[in-house]
Amino acid sequence: MENEWKAEQVLKQLEDIGAKVFFEKQLTSSDVSASGRVVVPKAIAEQYFPRIDNPSGTELGVEDAAGDTYTLRFRFWINNQSRMYLLEGTAELQHHYHLKMGDVLIFAQKEDSTIVLAGRPPTKADAMKKPPVRRPSPTPGGRAARRDQVGVRAGGHTRHLGLPVGNACCPVWDALWLLQRRCVYTCACFLPEHRAYACTV
């Protein structure tokens, strides 16, 4: 019940300053790392954030629910002609809201288009949200597409991705590797089958 009360208080703060919530993201381990880098879904970034044409992006001034201001960097990474959008420099804001993995980062917008970010603990409603299950597409021969462990050698590590063989949906994996130099990955399309497994060094 305490989490529900805290979440309600944050949402009330946003309502009081005229900010409308347009997206909420449950934070992953990479989102709450020391780098302060948060992946923003492509559809959300291109609808609500400023248009950027250079991968290095631009500085972006945002507010929190209390009206405090932060200067972040909004940028993207290109891989196979697809964009992965990132907000960098969120560590101070995450610290302000005591955010950890599993907590929720709220994205809202005021009438003057100012982006407002706030944090809240997870609630029972969040636990009930389940990503859609994607079934393998049948092949012309009537058999389901074969799933296999695909190993990718990069920077001395072998990543084993639980992706269907030949799947080209997510070029995000290489981008996350190059940006984070980490062995655990989160896919920006949020499909449950696009999970990365532990790598070997």
Side-chain angles (χ1 to χ4, degrees):
M1 292 298 293
E2 183 180 359
N3 280 5
E4 272 71 12
W5 181 83
K6 288 181 178 179
E8 286 179 6
Q9 293 304 302
V10 174
L11 293 175
K12 186 178 184 304
Q13 280 184 301
L14 292 171
E15 184 180 347
D16 289 344
I17 63 173
K20 295 183 178 180
V21 176
F22 61 84
F23 177 61
E24 293 186 317
K25 180 178 185 183
Q26 195 154 23
L27 298 174
T28 65
S29 58
S30 60
D31 291 326
V32 297
S33 66
S35 67
R37 182 183 295 120
V38 175
V39 176
V40 181
K42 186 173 185 285
I44 295 298
E46 294 184 349
Q47 181 174 353
Y48 293 98
F49 285 74
R51 176 184 173 84
I52 51 176
D53 297 314
N54 192 310
S56 63
T58 184
E59 287 189 346
L60 179 68
V62 303
E63 297 180 3
D64 62 19
D68 294 327
T69 59
Y70 304 81
T71 301
L72 311 180
R73 176 157 289 275
F74 177 53
R75 59 169 300 182
F76 65 86
W77 188 269
I78 297 178
N79 192 17
N80 292 341
Q81 299 181 345
S82 181
R83 290 187 178 191
M84 180 183 69
Y85 289 91
L86 304 161
L87 271 182
E88 297 180 336
T90 67
E92 183 182 355
L93 184 141
Q94 290 188 38
H95 179 75
H96 174 75
Y97 283 100
H98 307 288
L99 296 180
K100 59 187 182 300
M101 184 176 67
D103 287 343
V104 176
L105 183 63
I106 304 172
F107 295 72
Q109 191 173 48
K110 297 168 71 173
E111 289 187 1
D112 63 0
S113 297
T114 300
I115 300 292
V116 180
L117 300 180
R120 64 170 178 82
T123 62
K124 291 181 179 178
D126 296 316
M128 295 175 64
K129 295 176 184 176
K130 294 182 179 180
V133 176
R134 196 174 186 182
R135 299 181 183 280
S137 302
T139 63
R143 301 174 62 186
R146 182 173 64 89
R147 291 181 66 86
D148 198 355
Q149 297 296 327
V150 182
V152 180
R153 190 75 185 174
H157 292 243
T158 300
R159 290 173 291 148
H160 301 284
L161 312 182
L163 298 175
V165 171
N167 189 306
C169 168
C170 273
V172 176
W173 298 111
D174 287 336
L176 282 172
W177 169 258
L178 292 170
L179 285 169
Q180 296 180 230
R181 295 288 175 181
R182 294 172 65 85
C183 307
V184 179
Y185 305 87
T186 300
C187 173
C189 76
F190 304 110
L191 295 176
E193 63 263 42
H194 291 190
R195 299 288 184 184
Y197 295 82
C199 74
T200 56
V201 179

